[in-house]
Amino acid sequence: MATRPIVKYPLPLLQKKTAPVTLFDDDLVKLVSDMIETMREAPGVGLAAPQIGVSLRLAVIAGSATLPDEARENESETPPPPPLVLANPRIVAGEGAHIDEEGCLSVIDCFAKVKRYQKITVEAQDIKGLPLRFEANGFFARVIQHEVDHLDGTLFIDRLSSLKRGLYKKKLKKILAQEQEAGGEQ
Ligand code: NI
């Protein structure tokens, strides 16, 4: 296992639709373990393959994020389940709406409220290619929707109003210019 650098917006690869996973081989196992380690170290609750520069329909979700909302709030009482691996995930049904704050490891210095389904039905494959079908609610459902968006080339900032997105782009431009200046002084 090794951590890999997390790529950041505005890298174009983050806004590209990914290719399906077709080979469930040792290379996939290695990629998934690197994704899990990168997610843990960040730390984050989910990570999609494009975030480490791999344009594949693959995501990992922290075990703690898969717990029901009530259990997640008392997380210290129970050991978290293992991370969830989703190859080729699809949201096949969604109901209800919930607005909550989101951030993303690939979108620096940005947190904003995003509307998502409250409850979803997901179809995917596991790391061996076996089919999965399950329902997710609340925070778990939100994380999956965020990661599936990544796999379609959509970032959470694409779901904000054009005014809010414009403000963020301006702010990011300033941050990047400052970073470049600081780098230039070394
Ligand atoms: Ni993200």
Side-chain angles (χ1 to χ4, degrees):
M1 282 220 276
T3 61
R4 302 208 200 172
I6 295 177
V7 299
K8 309 273 162 57
Y9 174 82
L11 190 89
L13 179 103
L14 286 169
Q15 291 178 292
K16 200 182 136 196
K17 198 171 162 67
T18 54
V21 177
T22 52
L23 283 174
F24 294 84
D25 58 3
D26 289 349
D27 287 345
L28 186 73
V29 172
K30 167 86 175 65
L31 174 62
V32 163
S33 68
D34 286 358
M35 284 171 66
I36 290 170
E37 186 157 333
T38 304
M39 172 178 70
R40 277 191 180 137
E41 199 195 66
V45 290
L47 190 81
Q51 294 185 273
I52 56 164
V54 178
S55 196
L56 263 186
R57 201 163 176 85
L58 178 70
V60 295
I61 292 173
S64 60
T66 68
L67 295 169
D69 288 349
E70 320 79 67
R72 209 167 40 82
E73 280 146 24
N74 307 312
E75 207 197 312
S76 54
E77 292 171 22
T78 44
L84 177 66
V85 179
L86 297 175
N88 305 321
R90 287 191 313 131
I91 292 158
V92 294
E95 62 182 75
H98 189 246
I99 297 172
D100 207 352
E101 195 150 88
E102 284 184 28
C104 178
L105 297 173
S106 293
V107 182
I108 59 167
D109 281 315
C110 188
F111 292 90
K113 289 194 169 168
V114 183
K115 188 175 172 183
R116 301 285 190 186
Y117 289 125
Q118 170 66 33
K119 183 180 170 185
I120 54 173
T121 306
V122 182
E123 285 183 0
Q125 283 166 282
D126 72 7
I127 196 165
K128 291 178 180 158
L130 298 172
L132 298 173
R133 187 186 163 94
F134 61 92
E135 284 185 350
N137 272 289
F139 184 73
F140 182 27
R142 175 170 297 275
V143 175
I144 293 174
Q145 289 170 86
H146 179 111
E147 301 311 330
V148 169
D149 263 0
H150 270 297
L151 305 179
D152 291 330
T154 301
L155 297 172
F156 82 102
I157 50 171
D158 296 321
R159 295 198 176 271
L160 307 181
S161 66
S162 56
L163 175 70
K164 281 188 184 161
R165 192 168 48 252
L167 286 172
Y168 173 66
K169 281 184 182 174
K170 263 192 197 162
K171 179 179 158 186
L172 180 66
K173 225 177 177 177
K174 267 191 203 160
I175 295 170
L176 296 178
Q178 279 167 358
E179 273 178 12
Q180 207 166 11
E181 238 171 67
E185 283 165 14
Q186 285 171 1

